[in-house]
Amino acid sequence: GDWYEGDFRDGVRHGKGTYSFVDGDRYEGGWRKGQKHGEGVYTWRDGSKFSGSWSQNKQDGDGCYEWSNTMRYSGKWKPPPALPVSERGPPHMRSAVSPGGKRSSEHRIYTNIPVKEL
Protein backbone atom coordinates (compact mmCIF):
# COMPACT_ATOMS: atom_id res chain seq x y z
CA GLY A 1 0.00 0.00 0.00
CA ASP A 2 0.88 3.66 0.28
CA TRP A 3 3.57 4.62 2.79
CA TYR A 4 4.86 7.75 4.50
CA GLU A 5 8.26 8.41 6.05
CA GLY A 6 8.79 11.67 7.87
CA ASP A 7 7.66 13.98 10.64
CA PHE A 8 4.37 13.77 12.52
CA ARG A 9 2.59 16.07 14.95
CA ASP A 10 -0.48 14.97 16.89
CA GLY A 11 -0.72 11.83 14.75
CA VAL A 12 -0.77 13.58 11.34
CA ARG A 13 1.92 14.35 8.76
CA HIS A 14 3.53 17.65 9.75
CA GLY A 15 7.03 18.91 8.91
CA LYS A 16 9.15 17.24 6.23
CA GLY A 17 8.42 13.87 4.72
CA THR A 18 7.93 11.60 1.72
CA TYR A 19 4.62 9.98 0.75
CA SER A 20 4.80 7.18 -1.82
CA PHE A 21 1.62 5.91 -3.44
CA VAL A 22 1.21 2.28 -4.38
CA ASP A 23 0.61 3.34 -8.02
CA GLY A 24 4.09 4.90 -8.27
CA ASP A 25 3.28 8.57 -7.58
CA ARG A 26 5.41 10.29 -4.92
CA TYR A 27 5.42 13.55 -2.95
CA GLU A 28 8.49 14.75 -1.08
CA GLY A 29 8.46 17.99 0.86
CA GLY A 30 6.61 20.00 3.46
CA TRP A 31 3.49 18.95 5.32
CA ARG A 32 1.13 20.90 7.56
CA LYS A 33 -1.76 19.30 9.43
CA GLY A 34 -1.72 16.27 7.11
CA GLN A 35 -1.70 18.27 3.85
CA LYS A 36 1.02 19.14 1.36
CA HIS A 37 2.26 22.59 2.38
CA GLY A 38 5.37 24.68 1.77
CA GLU A 39 8.03 23.59 -0.72
CA GLY A 40 7.70 20.16 -2.28
CA VAL A 41 8.01 17.96 -5.34
CA TYR A 42 5.19 15.73 -6.60
CA THR A 43 6.24 13.17 -9.20
CA TRP A 44 3.62 11.22 -11.14
CA ARG A 45 4.24 7.67 -12.30
CA ASP A 46 4.57 8.85 -15.92
CA GLY A 47 7.59 10.99 -14.98
CA SER A 48 5.78 14.36 -14.96
CA LYS A 49 6.47 16.46 -11.90
CA PHE A 50 5.64 19.69 -10.14
CA SER A 51 8.20 21.32 -7.87
CA GLY A 52 7.35 24.46 -5.99
CA SER A 53 5.02 25.95 -3.42
CA TRP A 54 2.03 24.11 -1.97
CA SER A 55 -0.79 25.30 0.28
CA GLN A 56 -3.52 23.04 1.63
CA ASN A 57 -2.71 20.21 -0.82
CA LYS A 58 -2.73 22.49 -3.90
CA GLN A 59 -0.02 24.07 -6.05
CA ASP A 60 0.06 27.70 -4.95
CA GLY A 61 2.71 30.32 -5.78
CA ASP A 62 5.99 29.85 -7.61
CA GLY A 63 6.53 26.47 -9.22
CA CYS A 64 7.64 24.48 -12.22
CA TYR A 65 5.62 21.75 -13.93
CA GLU A 66 7.61 19.41 -16.13
CA TRP A 67 5.74 17.06 -18.42
CA SER A 68 7.30 13.68 -19.12
CA ASN A 69 7.82 14.76 -22.77
CA THR A 70 10.31 17.49 -21.63
CA MET A 71 7.87 20.42 -22.00
CA ARG A 72 7.77 22.66 -18.95
CA TYR A 73 6.03 25.65 -17.44
CA SER A 74 7.71 27.72 -14.78
CA GLY A 75 5.93 30.59 -13.05
CA LYS A 76 3.08 31.45 -10.71
CA TRP A 77 0.30 29.01 -9.86
CA LYS A 78 -2.96 29.55 -8.03
CA PRO A 79 -5.35 26.95 -6.65
CA PRO A 80 -8.33 26.18 -8.86
CA PRO A 81 -11.88 26.91 -7.77
CA ALA A 82 -13.56 23.99 -6.03
CA LEU A 83 -14.27 21.42 -8.75
CA PRO A 84 -15.50 17.84 -8.53
CA VAL A 85 -12.28 16.23 -9.74
CA SER A 86 -10.09 13.31 -8.91
CA GLU A 87 -7.22 14.15 -6.54
CA ARG A 88 -4.77 11.89 -8.39
CA GLY A 89 -2.87 12.28 -11.63
CA PRO A 90 -1.11 15.14 -13.36
CA PRO A 91 -3.16 18.35 -13.37
CA HIS A 92 -3.70 18.11 -17.13
CA MET A 93 -5.04 14.56 -16.88
CA ARG A 94 -7.43 14.60 -13.92
CA SER A 95 -10.85 13.18 -14.65
CA ALA A 96 -14.16 14.85 -13.97
CA VAL A 97 -16.30 13.19 -11.32
CA SER A 98 -20.06 13.16 -11.72
CA PRO A 99 -22.30 14.18 -8.79
CA GLY A 100 -22.90 10.46 -8.20
CA GLY A 101 -19.17 9.95 -7.72
CA LYS A 102 -18.43 8.16 -11.02
CA ARG A 103 -15.35 9.21 -12.97
CA SER A 104 -15.60 10.14 -16.60
CA SER A 105 -12.53 9.20 -18.59
CA GLU A 106 -14.02 10.97 -21.62
CA HIS A 107 -13.53 14.47 -20.22
CA ARG A 108 -10.24 15.96 -19.11
CA ILE A 109 -10.07 19.29 -17.33
CA TYR A 110 -7.30 21.58 -16.20
CA THR A 111 -7.33 21.97 -12.46
CA ASN A 112 -4.29 24.16 -11.86
CA ILE A 113 -4.07 26.98 -14.34
CA PRO A 114 -0.81 28.95 -14.58
CA VAL A 115 -1.28 32.64 -13.80
CA LYS A 116 -0.25 34.84 -16.71
CA GLU A 117 1.63 37.92 -15.65
CA LEU A 118 0.94 41.03 -17.70
Side-chain angles (χ1 to χ4, degrees), residues 20-40:
S20 296
F21 298 89
V22 70
D23 66 4
D25 291 359
R26 176 183 169 108
Y27 172 77
E28 184 173 357
W31 294 89
R32 183 176 183 193
K33 297 181 181 179
Q35 297 184 327
K36 294 181 281 294
H37 190 86
E39 295 299 310

Side-chain angles (χ1 to χ4, degrees), residues 24-73:
D25 291 359
R26 176 183 169 108
Y27 172 77
E28 184 173 357
W31 294 89
R32 183 176 183 193
K33 297 181 181 179
Q35 297 184 327
K36 294 181 281 294
H37 190 86
E39 295 299 310
V41 178
Y42 193 108
T43 306
W44 285 269
R45 67 183 167 271
D46 72 352
S48 299
K49 70 176 157 179
F50 175 83
S51 44
S53 297
W54 294 81
S55 179
Q56 299 177 341
N57 266 354
K58 296 178 175 63
Q59 295 110 323
D60 187 9
D62 292 328
C64 180
Y65 187 90
E66 298 177 52
W67 284 263
S68 58
N69 66 2
T70 69
M71 289 178 46
R72 64 186 280 172
Y73 170 83

Side-chain angles (χ1 to χ4, degrees), residues 12 29-30 63 87 90 98 100 115:
V12 296
E87 290 266 335
S98 71
V115 177

Side-chain angles (χ1 to χ4, degrees), residues 7-21:
D7 301 329
F8 285 91
R9 180 186 289 172
D10 298 326
V12 296
R13 295 179 294 272
H14 193 94
K16 299 287 181 192
T18 301
Y19 193 99
S20 296
F21 298 89

Side-chain angles (χ1 to χ4, degrees), residues 76-87:
K76 298 268 186 205
W77 294 76
K78 68 177 183 174
L83 296 171
V85 297
S86 155
E87 290 266 335

